[in-house]
């Protein structure tokens, strides 16, 4: 076969035929990454002062070509007594991180190239040689006489080595605090906290590749200041204890960003800058500021360390709400009862009941109250302004999140066995939300205070020490949590709202639907029609009959949890942590693409007749409505013994049994967009971490003159024991714009990390 | 103990009775103008009609072009269209009309951005033009009478295509009649404020709409066809009306971009052999 290299004149294989065989897949594209971490801490304390200095360096080389990250962090904390009553303290941490080529996922990324649009015969190493005979070359040639530029894809190594992306982040987090002791039961505290963060990004689309060269750069900063003053009272009166904390907070948050991008190409080959943009570059500046204040009082009453009653009141103000109504008052009340205090000599070593209600404010985002007009690029010097597709709302105010919780903590047999059970119900009411509007209103959305959603469930943890003797201890804990998230109310006159996930081009769309009275996050999309559990097939085309906008389940899992074990034998400790999830759904774009493009495993193998599915059909073609042969479908009963094709069976619209062999390529081509076929169960079980540590005995450490030495080895993301798609971990699905992890498309593989850790205490 | 309860109650009362805080201008968005400029809105609305002229499907359906690898359009497969973009453009045009009608803004807007009447007339003609192309695409599956009223009418009913065309013809006629001798809109990138050309545009559009009714409502169609001819329509090629693309990437012809890195469209055989 003449492969791509044979059409590149300067290539040594020019004009030659080479065997068309699989080259072992894309595994070779990934390297083994390396993560090195150094962490040193210095401590010193004395009469009236304490100091701590920590230096951390973390180097990460990713498993993708030419991608790495370096992290430096220095933190210092110290405090000293100025006088017996006044203490001053500070914490400062400085972080400097730089990243080269943070790998991209999703449509059009390197991930989607190697996973969705690939060819199994490609020699990965040959693709590193993407510059040949003065041209940039790629495997994805347009045709024999048209080898450059490529059709849809540059070489993945062109992407990683030429289309460079740099990112850096520098941040300072610090505070200064003053503590003053009036008496032993009354103290005052004043603290000033600051978080300042700057990020810089640049990225390029390199010259000579598939796309028009481009350079982008942006700067982003965030500055948060918090001033906090509080008075704390803490005193015991006989069997009673009282503590009260009252205070106030002043908050200020500022964002700033500048971003620019070249337009329509760059003028100096090999040089990337905004100044060398062919046309006037895009320039965008955004700044936002919000301020908030709060006053609060929390009072706790205790009786004999057995009964506690805790009440709080808080008022928050935010600059982002309607100025005439910019505060939210929230209250809380919790009670707990350690009833084991009343029992003596029981198998119950500790028993506690608690219950409470807590509230929290939720304010609108900045600048959502009054209308502004969008600045568009000028049209040949003429100003251009657009109207907003959202209706602004001057009346927007803060809403309240409320949480009710009841629980118990029980410890039995001298704490050898424990049981924690919690019931919770969170309610979001009248939070500021953007509601989608029917476009015929002239708008796409409106911001309102509306809706009600509840999150209800149980959290249960059982922990125990099945074995404990002088040499060996086994601690174990299993926990699970249920969650039912319900949409109680959306808005006046609206009982359904959809979040679209897939462009309608790809199979009529895939949406997550929120409907009043139903669970949050119901999946709707195209489904193969069924009659009595049998798939319906159209006898005139041999394709499945589909229906759009069908309920396909819920994306949220029913149960999540973990199983944690720690075994300690003398100085050796082994930790094995597992986590799991039951129920939920996710959609795999990768599966849909690789099956329709013939890369998927499902597109090979033998059919019912024992012949490769890719072999040609041999039998009687079905006829379409015009009476013409449909040349990619034969009636199953007419198939000759040597026929290839995918076997499908089901019923026609009247319920009669039908069966066909369909040309493999057509079968998978037709499945494209049938959402129901690429939706997977999000249940999984994973051995997340394994860690084996050895503490050197004191005898040895004393000999070498140090206080402690621990050597440990660990594996993170150790084994995915069970999941619907064997290579996809549903807990690590890529993030989408909507913050709902529900889709997988061109996602890079999960990374298993092996590590060695040496910890020395001097 | 009693004192503590008393203090707690007092402080709680104090907290809950605190009034609103004045944050001044903190929540005023500095990133975008809060005052509209009618001429800039008009330029925007006119550029937002661009997708109508450069749509790919018409060239496939009349077989000038054919798809290369992704052949859905060429094979007349079901295509889905979203009308959000067009209804939002109509909102922009309504805003221009409001600015020219509202006594608080009309004088200012009419002083140096074209006469109030002419700004309104151009906005109405473009609105009619957009609805004309929309109903050609969606037929009667389209709200017209109650559309674009924001929260006043959240769920709109479809109007019949005959009703839409009847209303559009009347609207076009009225808009042409509204044109006065004042100056044309400064935001006009089609005819640079030449109101005679807007009359020609309106009449030609009215003629096209009338043709749509030649079978369904021949009397009405004929009436407006004659009105259009009498008003003055495009009579020769050198009076053709073009959408003014610029060389700049922001407002250039999308057909150029479609061929920059890809070749998804090819000349079709019927066209090449014609």
């Amino acid at each position: 076969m003449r492969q791509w290299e044979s059409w590149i004149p300067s290539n040594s294989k020019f004009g030659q035929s080479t065997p068309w065989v699989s080259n072992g897949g894309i595994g070779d594209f990934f390297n083994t990454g390396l993560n090195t971490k150094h962490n040193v801490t210095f401590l010193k304390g004395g009469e009236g002062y304490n100091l701590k200095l920590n230096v951390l360096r973390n180097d990460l080389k990713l498993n993708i070509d030419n991608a790495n990250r370096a992290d430096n962090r220095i933190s210092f904390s110290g405090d000293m007594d100025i006088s017996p009553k006044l203490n001053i303290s500070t914490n400062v941490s400085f972080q400097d991180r730089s990243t080269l080529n943070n790998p991209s996922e999703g449509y059009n990324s390197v991930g989607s190239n190697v996973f969705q649009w690939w060819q199994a015969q490609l020699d990965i190493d040959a693709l590193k040689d993407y510059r040949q005979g003065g041209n940039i070359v790629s495997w994805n040639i347009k045709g024999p006489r048209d080898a450059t530029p490529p059709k849809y894809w540059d070489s993945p190594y062109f992407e990683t080595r030429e289309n460079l992306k740099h990112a850096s982040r520098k941040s300072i987090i610090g505070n200064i605090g003053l503590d003053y002791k009036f008496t032993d039961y009354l103290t005052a505290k004043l603290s000033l906290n600051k978080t300042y963060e700057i990020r810089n990004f640049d990225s390029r689309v390199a010259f000579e590749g598939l796309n028009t060269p481009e350079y982008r750069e942006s700067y982003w900063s965030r500055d948060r200041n918090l001033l906090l003053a509080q008075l704390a009272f803490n005193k015991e009166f006989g069997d009673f204890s009282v503590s009260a904390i009252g205070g106030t907070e002043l908050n200020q948050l500022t964002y700033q960003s500048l971003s620019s991008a070249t337009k329509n190409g760059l003028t100096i080959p090999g040089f990337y800058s905004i100044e060398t943009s062919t046309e006037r570059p895009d320039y965008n500046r955004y700044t936002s500021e919000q301020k908030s204040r709060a006053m609060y009082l929390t009072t706790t009453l205790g009786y004999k360390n057995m009964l506690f009653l805790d009440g709080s009141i808080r008022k928050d103000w935010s600059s982002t709400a309607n100025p005439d109504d910019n505060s939210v008052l929230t209250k809380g009340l919790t009670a707990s009862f350690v009833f084991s205090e009343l029992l003596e000599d029981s198998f119950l070593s500790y028993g506690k009941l608690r219950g409470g209600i807590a509230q929290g404010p939720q304010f609108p985002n900045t600048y959502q109250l009054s209308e502004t007009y969008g600045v568009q690029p000028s049209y040949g010097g003429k100003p251009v302004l657009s109207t907003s597709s959202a209706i602004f709302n001057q009346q927007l105010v803060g809403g309240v999140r409320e949480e009710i919780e009841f629980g118990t903590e029980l410890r039995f047999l001298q704490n050898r066995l424990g049981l924690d059970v919690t019931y919770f119900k969170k309610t979001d009411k009248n939070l500021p939300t953007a509601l989608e509007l029917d476009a015929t209103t002239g708008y796409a959305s409106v911001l309102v205070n509306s809706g009600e959603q509840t999150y209800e469930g149980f959290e249960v943890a059982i922990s125990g020490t099945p074995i404990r003797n002088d040499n060996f201890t086994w601690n174990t804990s299993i926990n699970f949590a249920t969650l039912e998230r319900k949409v109680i109310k959306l808005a006046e006159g609206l009982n359904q709202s959809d979040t679209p996930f897939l462009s309608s081009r790809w199979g009529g769309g895939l949406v997550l639907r929120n409907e009043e009275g139903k669970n949050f996050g119901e999946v709707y999309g195209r489904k193969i029609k069924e009659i009595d559990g049998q798939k319906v097939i159209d006898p005139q085309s041999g394709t499945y009959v589909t229906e759009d906008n069908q309920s396909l389940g819920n994306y949220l899992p029913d149960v999540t949890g973990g199983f944690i074990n720690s075994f300690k034998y003398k100085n050796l400790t082994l930790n094995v942590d597992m986590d799991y999830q039951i129920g939920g759904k996710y959609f795999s774009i990768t599966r849909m693409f690789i099956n329709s493009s013939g890369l998927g495993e499902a597109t090979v193998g033998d059919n019912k007749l024992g012949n490769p599915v890719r072999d040609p059909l041999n039998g009687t073609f079905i006829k379409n409505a015009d009476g013409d042969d449909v040349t990619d479908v034969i009636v199953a009963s007419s198939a000759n013994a040597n026929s290839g094709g995918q076997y499908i069976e089901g019923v026609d619209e009247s319920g009669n049994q039908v069966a066909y062999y369909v040309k493999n390529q057509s079968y998978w081509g037709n499945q494209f967009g049938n959402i129901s076929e690429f939706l997977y169960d999000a249940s999984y079980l994973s051995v997340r971490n394994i860690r084996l540590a050895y503490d050197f005995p004191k005898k040895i450490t004393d000999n070498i003159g140090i206080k402690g030495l621990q050597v440990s080895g660990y594996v993170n993301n150790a084994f995915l024991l069970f999941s619907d798609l064997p290579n996809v971990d549903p807990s690590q699905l890529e993030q989408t714009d909507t913050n709902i992890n529900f889709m997988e498309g061109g996602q890079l593989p999960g990374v298993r990390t092996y590590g060695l850790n040496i910890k020395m205490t001097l | 103990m009693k004192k503590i309860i008393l203090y707690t109650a007092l402080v709680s009362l104090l907290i809950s009775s605190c009034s609103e805080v004045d944050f001044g201008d903190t929540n005023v968005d500095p990133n975008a103008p809060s005052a509209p400029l009618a001429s800039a809105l008009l330029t925007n609305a006119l550029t937002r009609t661009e997708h109508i002229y450069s749509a790919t499907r018409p060239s496939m359906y009349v077989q000038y072009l054919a798809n290369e690898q992704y052949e859905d359009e060429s094979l007349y497969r079901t295509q889905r269209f979203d009308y959000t973009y067009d209804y939002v453009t109509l909102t922009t045009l309504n805003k221009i009309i409001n600015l020219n009608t509202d006594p608080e803004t009309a004088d200012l807007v009419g002083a140096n951005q074209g006469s109030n009447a002419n700004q309104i007339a151009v906005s109405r003609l473009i609105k009619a033009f957009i609805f004309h192309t929309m109903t050609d695409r969606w037929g009667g599956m389209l709200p017209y009478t109650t559309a674009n009223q924001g929260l006043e009418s959240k769920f709109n009913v479809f109007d019949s295509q005959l009703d839409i065309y009847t209303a559009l013809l009347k609207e076009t006629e009225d808009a042409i009649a509204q044109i006065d001798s004042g100056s044309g809109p400064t935001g006009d990138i089609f005819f640079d404020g030449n109101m005679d050309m807007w009359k020609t545009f309106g009449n030609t559009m009215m003629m096209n709409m009338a043709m749509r009714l030649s079978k369904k409502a021949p009397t009405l169609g004929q009436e407006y066809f004659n009105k259009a001819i009498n008003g003055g329509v495009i009579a020769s090629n050198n009076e053709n009306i073009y959408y003014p693309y610029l060389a700049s990437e922001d407002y250039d012809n999308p057909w150029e971009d479609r061929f920059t890195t890809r070749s998804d469209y090819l000349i079709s055989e019927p066209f090449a052999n014609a």
Side-chain angles (χ1 to χ4, degrees):
Chain A
M1 177 83 73
R2 287 281 301 268
Q3 301 197 40
W4 70 275
E5 293 155 288
S6 78
W7 302 106
I8 314 269
S10 56
N11 194 292
S12 61
K13 290 182 184 156
F14 181 69
Q16 293 175 21
S17 290
T18 42
W20 185 262
V21 290
S22 166
N23 248 320
I26 41 124
D28 290 347
F29 181 66
F30 297 94
N31 310 316
T32 303
L34 184 67
N35 190 354
T36 26
K37 225 183 239 187
H38 299 92
N39 194 351
V40 186
T41 304
F42 303 93
L43 285 171
K44 175 109 183 162
E47 183 78 19
Y49 78 97
N50 283 298
L51 297 173
K52 182 179 174 183
L53 180 68
N54 178 266
V55 181
L56 186 139
R57 162 94 189 177
N58 194 352
D59 282 291
L60 179 64
K61 185 175 162 291
L62 292 173
N63 62 335
I64 304 274
D65 181 56
N66 204 26
N68 57 58
R69 168 180 292 168
D71 234 320
N72 295 292
R73 197 162 62 214
I74 300 171
S75 36
F76 171 80
S77 63
D79 74 274
M80 62 177 172
D81 295 334
I82 292 177
S83 79
K85 292 194 164 185
L86 187 64
N87 179 277
I88 185 164
S89 63
T90 183
N91 282 298
V92 186
S93 164
F94 176 75
Q95 189 180 12
D96 188 344
R97 166 194 273 190
S98 58
T99 310
L100 171 68
N101 287 347
N102 201 9
S104 57
E105 300 186 315
Y107 197 61
N108 250 334
S109 68
V110 167
S112 80
N113 179 4
V114 298
F115 284 112
Q116 293 175 354
W117 287 274
W118 195 244
Q119 293 177 5
Q121 85 286 355
L122 294 172
D123 175 2
I124 301 263
D125 271 341
L127 299 172
K128 289 180 182 162
D129 203 6
Y130 52 78
R131 191 182 292 276
Q132 293 182 16
N135 281 321
I136 296 293
V137 298
S138 165
W139 59 275
N140 188 214
I141 59 174
K142 276 199 183 109
R145 290 167 206 286
D146 204 4
T148 51
K151 188 158 173 72
Y152 300 125
W153 295 100
D154 283 315
S155 158
Y157 289 98
F158 180 82
E159 182 67 32
T160 58
R161 294 176 188 188
E162 302 289 334
N163 292 345
L164 302 178
K165 292 177 283 187
H166 299 95
S168 79
R169 191 176 89 181
K170 294 177 175 63
S171 63
I172 294 180
I173 301 169
N175 68 57
I176 297 176
L178 279 172
D179 282 88
Y180 189 79
K181 243 188 218 172
F182 292 102
T183 65
D184 55 354
Y185 58 84
L186 189 66
T187 53
K189 184 185 174 128
L190 186 70
S191 87
L192 180 64
N193 302 272
K194 188 175 182 78
T195 310
Y196 186 62
E197 188 181 342
I198 299 179
R199 298 183 187 201
N200 283 290
F201 303 92
D202 66 67
S203 65
R204 39 173 97 160
V205 175
F207 280 88
E208 299 178 87
L210 172 63
N211 295 308
T212 310
E214 183 187 77
Y215 177 72
R216 303 178 162 264
E217 63 182 22
S218 60
Y219 150 92
W220 179 100
S221 78
R222 188 177 70 156
D223 188 358
R224 177 176 211 123
N225 297 304
L226 168 70
L227 180 69
L228 188 144
Q230 71 180 30
L231 210 56
F233 175 88
N234 210 327
K235 199 170 180 183
E236 297 196 356
F237 302 88
D239 285 340
F240 291 92
S241 66
V242 177
S243 80
I245 296 174
T248 180
E249 269 177 37
L250 289 166
N251 235 310
Q252 185 197 28
L253 179 62
T254 318
Y255 285 101
Q256 231 177 59
S257 74
L258 288 174
S259 59
S260 44
T262 60
K263 196 178 287 175
N264 209 11
L266 286 159
T267 51
I268 302 174
F271 182 66
Y272 299 88
S273 79
I274 296 296
E275 294 96 310
T276 47
S277 174
T278 307
E279 286 184 30
R280 184 184 136 163
D282 281 328
Y283 172 84
N284 205 301
R285 174 180 180 271
Y286 184 83
T287 163
S288 86
E289 184 185 22
Q290 68 185 77
K291 290 178 180 163
S292 64
R293 290 183 198 175
M295 275 175 81
Y296 57 89
L297 176 69
T298 306
T299 311
T300 309
L301 276 175
Y303 175 69
K304 280 188 171 172
N305 272 336
M306 183 170 76
L307 200 62
F308 294 94
L309 196 66
D310 185 306
S312 66
I313 184 164
R314 182 182 168 110
K315 197 166 197 177
D316 283 88
W317 292 265
S318 169
S319 64
T320 61
N322 173 3
D324 297 328
D325 187 6
N326 62 13
S327 68
V328 171
L329 184 71
T330 49
K331 290 159 240 171
L333 188 67
T334 57
S336 61
F337 176 34
V338 185
F339 61 88
S340 51
E341 295 280 316
L342 296 176
L343 310 170
E344 277 175 33
D345 282 341
S346 144
F347 76 106
L348 187 75
S349 34
Y350 180 77
K352 178 176 169 182
L353 281 173
R354 62 193 156 77
I357 178 167
Q359 293 179 325
Q362 191 81 11
F363 285 103
N365 290 333
T366 42
Y367 311 142
Q368 289 190 329
L369 265 52
S370 44
E371 182 167 18
T372 54
Y373 296 83
V375 178
Q376 306 297 329
S378 87
Y379 178 97
K382 276 187 190 295
V384 184
L385 281 183
S386 60
T387 53
S388 164
S389 65
I391 299 179
F392 287 78
N393 183 353
Q394 304 265 12
Q395 309 305 321
L396 216 55
V397 295
V400 175
R401 272 205 159 140
E402 186 176 284
E403 180 165 4
I404 296 172
E405 197 183 290
F406 294 100
T408 172
E409 285 168 43
L410 305 171
R411 300 284 173 274
F412 306 94
L413 307 166
Q414 281 88 47
N415 296 329
R416 287 283 287 271
L417 184 66
L419 174 69
D420 293 356
V421 181
T422 307
Y423 161 83
F424 65 88
K425 185 173 180 177
K426 278 192 260 186
T427 308
D428 287 352
K429 221 179 207 172
N430 288 334
L431 299 191
T433 19
L435 277 185
E436 266 188 63
L437 287 177
D438 185 276
T440 65
T441 57
Y443 297 91
S445 64
V446 60
L447 296 155
V448 283
N449 282 100
S450 81
E452 184 176 340
Q453 275 194 38
T454 57
Y455 310 64
E456 195 174 0
F458 283 94
E459 286 167 3
V460 177
I462 302 165
S463 55
T465 311
I467 299 171
R468 181 166 65 194
N469 58 41
D470 290 347
N471 286 331
F472 187 69
T473 311
W474 173 25
N475 285 313
T476 182
S477 154
I478 185 159
N479 65 71
F480 65 88
T482 64
L483 172 66
E484 190 175 50
R485 190 167 164 191
K486 270 207 137 85
V487 180
I488 308 295
K489 188 169 167 270
L490 282 168
E492 208 53 50
L494 184 83
N495 54 17
Q496 182 183 311
S497 153
D498 288 349
T499 311
F501 271 84
L502 265 196
S503 111
S504 54
R505 256 181 63 202
W506 293 350
L510 165 63
V511 300
L512 285 187
R513 176 165 300 164
N514 294 330
E515 206 175 334
E516 265 184 25
K518 298 210 172 158
N519 285 330
F520 175 89
E522 294 285 321
V523 183
Y524 277 76
R526 182 176 292 172
K527 189 183 178 200
I528 294 176
K529 190 177 174 183
E530 290 184 1
I531 296 177
D532 296 332
Q534 301 227 59
K535 288 181 171 168
V536 178
I537 303 169
D538 171 23
Q540 290 180 336
S541 65
T543 58
Y544 289 123
V545 177
T546 58
E547 295 172 305
D548 284 358
N549 203 16
Q550 300 295 305
S551 168
L552 301 172
N554 192 290
Y555 93 94
L556 285 172
D558 304 315
V559 178
T560 53
F563 182 40
I564 296 164
N565 284 286
S566 148
F567 307 91
K568 192 170 163 62
Y569 177 73
K570 292 187 175 167
N571 288 345
L572 207 56
T573 313
L574 175 69
N575 293 299
V576 181
D577 300 345
M578 300 166 89
D579 55 65
Y580 64 92
Q581 174 169 304
I582 304 169
K585 301 260 185 204
Y586 67 94
F587 183 78
S588 175
I589 298 178
T590 304
R591 278 292 152 138
M592 187 164 87
F593 275 121
I594 62 176
N595 286 348
S596 80
S597 67
L599 271 177
E601 237 177 319
T603 64
V604 291
D606 289 347
N607 65 16
K608 235 184 139 195
L609 296 166
N611 305 318
V613 289
R614 295 192 177 204
D615 278 8
L617 298 174
N618 191 346
T620 313
F621 293 125
I622 62 167
K623 306 257 184 222
N624 68 15
D626 298 334
D628 298 330
D629 280 349
V630 176
T631 57
D632 51 7
V633 185
I634 60 169
V635 179
S637 57
S638 77
N640 290 318
N642 66 348
S643 180
Q646 287 276 357
Y647 176 76
I648 59 166
E649 61 179 7
V651 292
D652 65 15
E653 293 271 15
S654 347
N656 305 311
Q657 291 290 328
V658 289
Y660 305 98
Y661 282 95
V662 184
K663 189 179 161 193
N664 192 46
Q665 193 179 353
S666 308
Y667 173 80
W668 287 111
N670 292 331
Q671 287 285 43
F672 190 90
N674 291 346
I675 303 298
S676 58
E677 303 306 292
F678 303 101
L679 206 56
Y680 295 89
D681 186 351
S683 302
Y684 75 88
L685 173 63
S686 161
V687 180
R688 194 62 67 193
N689 305 308
I690 301 174
R691 182 170 177 270
L692 184 68
Y694 181 75
D695 283 289
F696 281 81
K698 205 170 161 12
K699 220 166 42 186
I700 296 177
T701 53
D702 281 352
N703 270 343
I704 29 180
I706 54 174
K707 281 180 189 154
L709 178 63
Q710 190 193 58
V711 178
S712 61
Y714 61 89
V715 189
N716 292 340
N717 271 337
F719 309 105
L720 185 61
L721 293 181
F722 166 81
S723 84
D724 199 0
L725 280 177
N727 39 16
V728 176
D729 183 344
S731 70
Q732 297 182 342
L733 295 177
E734 66 190 279
Q735 205 83 22
T736 58
D737 299 343
T738 49
N739 273 330
I740 290 175
N741 299 0
F742 168 65
M743 298 224 295
E744 177 283 311
Q747 182 167 334
L748 293 166
V751 178
R752 180 183 297 144
T753 318
Y754 299 93
L756 183 71
N757 200 1
I758 300 170
K759 195 166 131 189
M760 208 187 288
T761 315
L762 299 171
Chain B
M1 198 71 183
K2 275 182 193 158
K3 264 193 200 164
I4 290 161
I5 295 171
L6 184 69
Y7 284 139
T8 304
L10 274 176
V11 175
S12 300
L13 196 68
L14 176 77
I15 290 174
S16 54
S17 62
C18 277
S19 63
E20 306 314 339
V21 172
D22 182 4
F23 290 102
D25 282 346
T26 310
N27 207 32
V28 174
D29 189 350
N31 302 295
S34 48
L37 178 65
S39 70
L41 292 176
L42 181 64
T43 307
N44 179 239
L46 294 176
T47 61
R48 284 174 68 99
T49 62
E50 188 282 325
H51 74 99
I52 297 167
Y53 327 111
S54 64
T56 55
R57 280 130 190 141
S59 303
M60 310 290 141
Y61 289 179
V62 299
Q63 300 192 17
Y64 291 165
L65 298 179
N67 287 132
E68 190 219 32
Q69 188 174 343
Y70 301 102
E71 73 261 344
D72 285 20
E73 294 173 328
S74 275
L75 297 182
Y76 309 103
R77 289 210 179 115
T78 305
Q79 301 285 313
R80 288 159 194 271
F81 299 96
D82 183 357
Y83 49 40
T84 309
Y85 188 84
D86 284 333
Y87 275 111
V88 171
T89 311
L90 294 167
T91 298
T92 307
L93 290 161
N94 282 342
K95 184 84 203 175
I96 301 168
I97 296 172
N98 289 344
L99 289 169
N100 280 283
T101 320
D102 187 337
E104 279 195 21
T105 52
D107 287 350
L108 186 66
V109 172
N112 53 11
Q113 299 174 44
S115 76
N116 290 133
N118 286 343
Q119 288 189 58
I120 297 171
V122 168
S123 302
R124 290 172 74 182
L125 285 172
I126 289 296
K127 272 176 70 180
F129 174 70
I130 292 171
F131 263 118
H132 169 39
T133 59
M134 284 168 81
T135 190
D136 280 356
R137 178 179 281 175
W138 282 284
M141 305 281 274
L142 200 69
Y144 176 81
T145 26
T146 60
N148 281 92
Q149 296 179 12
L151 300 176
E152 303 285 305
S153 176
K154 277 190 270 191
F155 301 98
N156 297 305
V157 290
F158 293 148
D159 290 292
S160 78
Q161 195 169 25
L162 182 61
D163 285 349
I164 294 176
Y165 264 122
T166 309
L168 289 179
L169 285 165
K170 175 87 172 48
E171 178 67 9
T172 307
E173 186 182 14
D174 292 351
I176 295 170
Q178 195 178 9
I179 292 172
D180 69 10
S181 56
S183 55
T186 54
D188 172 18
I189 56 166
F190 282 11
F191 308 122
D192 209 11
N194 179 344
M195 294 312 293
D196 288 339
M197 280 309 293
W198 278 106
K199 281 184 186 160
T200 309
F201 175 91
N203 282 310
T204 308
M205 176 169 73
M206 196 199 290
M207 181 177 71
N208 273 324
M209 290 177 181
M211 288 300 291
R212 301 282 198 277
L213 300 185
S214 58
K215 291 214 171 82
K216 275 279 174 193
T219 323
L220 187 69
Q222 195 172 24
E223 180 196 334
Y224 275 97
F225 189 88
N226 289 333
K227 280 183 183 170
I229 295 291
N230 293 336
V233 299
I234 293 176
S236 69
N237 268 339
N238 48 22
E239 288 176 331
N240 278 351
I241 294 169
Y242 295 97
Y243 176 85
Y245 287 110
L246 299 181
S248 152
E249 192 63 21
D250 295 317
Y251 299 102
D252 69 345
N253 191 325
W255 280 106
E256 183 251 345
D257 301 317
R258 285 173 192 149
F259 287 94
T260 310
T261 64
R262 300 178 70 117
S263 51
D264 290 335
Y265 305 95
L266 308 169
I267 289 180
S268 77
E269 192 186 323
F271 185 67
N273 294 340

